Amino acid sequence: MARIAVIGAGMGAMAAAARLAVAGHRVAVYERTDTYGGAVGRFERDGFAFDTGPGLLPVPAVYRDLFVKTGKEPLEACVDLVQVDPAARHVFADGTAATLPNASRAGVVSALDEALGAGAGERWGDFLVRAREAWDRTRRPLLEEPLWPDWQVLGEREPYPALRRRRLLRTRTARRLSEVGTWELGDARLTALLESHALAYGLDPGRAPASAAVLPYMEHAFGAWYVRGGIRELARAVYERCVARRVEFAFGSEVVSVTEKDGRATGVELRDGTVAEADFVVGGPPELLERLTGRGDLYAGEAPERRPGALSCGRAVVCLALRGPREAGAVHRTVVHTTDRAGELGHTFGTGVVPPRPTVWVDRPDDPLLRPDDAHESVVVTATVPSLARYDWTAAGAADAFADRMVAAAERAVPDLRERMLWREVRTPLDTERETGAEGGGVPAPALAGEGGALLRPPNSTGVPGLFAVGGWAHPGGGLPHAGMSGALVAGLIVEGPDFRGSQ
């Protein structure tokens, strides 16, 4: 039985802790804040409750596997997991709207044809077939296996089978996601639909590789799922599974360094001077581990280049407490697309001015656990925004001014929104940095192949024996399913050793 110290109680860290405890190890988690879940947060006031992190769970099989492997109770016995249908309603810049059913290719094709005109659905359906091929090519190396030592091969070839496009005397294929939209979809609204999946993860469609096509495919193939009481309930269930497996949690315990002996990790030192000895140390993000070890070369020669521009986006969240019930026929999620896409991308990924109305994701769960009674409604509005590195969220009025723009956009999804509003809570990357420790309040994107490996994440193994990186800033990247797989990979590397190659 090994002693294992886990730094932080995020979703990936807890997933690793539960699996390691079941394998017979003694696991202790040291969390600097007073709660678990990392970015899967919750805000409560006056009988209202809001998810401040992810609002939906894609690929629930990852957490089903976690619960099967760590105990007799399956995931569905620990949370009330429901499939959201329709998956989303999209309101486009020109005022047209399309309501897309969940996990139904024929239904999506029909809905797009009806909303956008004949042929639109077929073009999107054909795109999903190509996106599936990219998914099949990359699923194991990017989600289910530790990052290959020769990770460069994942960046050399673009896995998305782009259509060949002949123009004048040149034959071209799409290398960027934005090119896939422009060249293959043939409709600005379909392009906006495609690009919104990248934007949701903080990826610039003009820079993201074509392999980002796997992001809409994941939602299409595995559906959109919700946990009654909010996604925070998933974090609660994972935490309770850890406790049931005798994982020890120390909240309010900040790790200030990783101790070493003879070049191997031997434990962690806390801010109060306490040293907890361990045979293995698990933590993240990789930049934090570099600080805690004092090693700037923790990944030298082993990790893909980490480009700050690909990791610098955050999220703004506006929690809205509304008087009046949710109207009949309202959908769970509405994506309201910006009326100024060029301006939005310039502001989010460059230095442009703030757009009048950004793209927003409006979540309106029909969930009595989130509201004081049926005469009120709890709504969450989310937008992808620049992190602290490129936008001054501390400036007077900056957060409220951007929230005003988000609410103005959300009015296209929620009737009489301003008249119904009782109060709002605004959260920015400042809150993300404070609560999760993510530098600049950034939110990690999933690892993607192609583009020279620019969107791969550092491996879970490090240059220090006994020290492993877990969570969204390490392989396989950000997102709830990726966090769960990160925990599975780290557990496998510790239990089975460096030859571990993932679940079969």
Side-chain angles (χ1 to χ4, degrees), residues 126-127 140 159 183 196 227 320 348 370 390 394 469:
D126 290 345
F127 156 75
R140 283 198 61 82
W183 298 352
S196 68
V227 178
L320 299 173
T348 306
L370 302 184
R390 289 186 290 105
T394 66

Side-chain angles (χ1 to χ4, degrees), residues 73-347:
E73 289 184 308
L75 176 63
E76 280 82 351
C78 302
V79 298
D80 188 1
L81 185 65
V82 294
Q83 195 168 24
V84 175
D85 198 12
R89 179 173 182 260
H90 288 261
V91 179
F92 298 103
D94 65 356
T96 57
T99 301
L100 305 183
N102 201 337
S104 168
R105 183 180 183 276
V108 168
V109 168
S110 176
L112 289 174
D113 275 344
E114 181 178 352
L116 308 184
E122 182 178 359
R123 291 194 297 276
W124 183 258
D126 290 345
F127 156 75
L128 287 175
V129 172
R130 296 189 292 276
R132 176 180 179 174
E133 187 170 338
W135 168 260
D136 289 340
R137 290 174 177 175
T138 61
R139 175 179 58 86
R140 283 198 61 82
L142 288 183
L143 194 64
E144 299 176 356
E145 299 178 349
L147 188 64
W148 297 344
D150 58 340
W151 57 265
Q152 293 89 344
V153 301
L154 295 174
E156 290 174 358
R157 180 184 177 187
E158 170 55 58
Y160 176 76
L163 297 178
R164 296 176 67 84
R165 178 175 181 265
R166 186 169 182 81
R167 185 175 183 181
L168 298 178
L169 299 179
R170 299 178 61 189
T171 300
R172 305 177 66 183
T173 57
R175 293 180 53 84
R176 304 283 192 274
L177 191 69
S178 60
E179 294 172 339
V180 172
T182 302
W183 298 352
E184 299 183 9
L185 297 180
D187 187 306
R189 296 162 297 185
L190 289 179
T191 298
L193 171 60
L194 170 65
E195 293 184 353
S196 68
H197 288 84
L199 188 62
Y201 284 102
L203 294 171
D204 181 353
R207 298 178 184 175
S211 64
V214 300
L215 300 178
Y217 175 76
M218 286 170 60
E219 178 180 300
H220 165 76
F222 304 106
W225 297 77
Y226 175 70
V227 178
R228 297 284 186 194
I231 297 298
R232 175 69 178 176
E233 284 296 292
L234 176 65
R236 186 266 312 159
V238 176
Y239 167 72
E240 291 181 354
R241 176 55 55 91
C242 286
V243 172
R245 298 300 167 261
R246 302 183 184 278
V247 174
E248 299 176 4
F249 283 82
F251 294 105
S253 300
E254 182 179 2
V255 173
V256 295
S257 69
V258 173
T259 60
E260 297 181 40
K261 182 177 180 180
D262 299 328
R264 180 182 177 85
T266 58
V268 296
E269 181 181 355
L270 306 181
R271 185 161 294 283
D272 65 4
T274 302
V275 174
E277 296 182 350
D279 301 293
F280 298 94
V281 176
V282 175
E287 286 83 355
L288 172 64
L289 297 184
E290 289 179 336
R291 292 198 301 271
L292 296 180
T293 59
R295 292 174 178 245
D297 60 347
L298 198 59
Y299 291 95
E302 297 182 5
E305 178 186 358
R306 280 168 282 164
R307 301 185 184 182
L311 307 175
S312 61
C313 283
R315 290 196 183 104
V317 178
V318 182
C319 306
L320 299 173
L322 305 184
R323 65 171 60 88
R326 183 179 186 265
E327 75 274 11
V331 300
H332 186 112
R333 169 165 288 182
T334 301
V335 184
V336 182
H337 294 263
T338 183
T339 54
D340 181 10
R341 181 160 298 276
E344 175 176 64
L345 297 179
H347 172 254

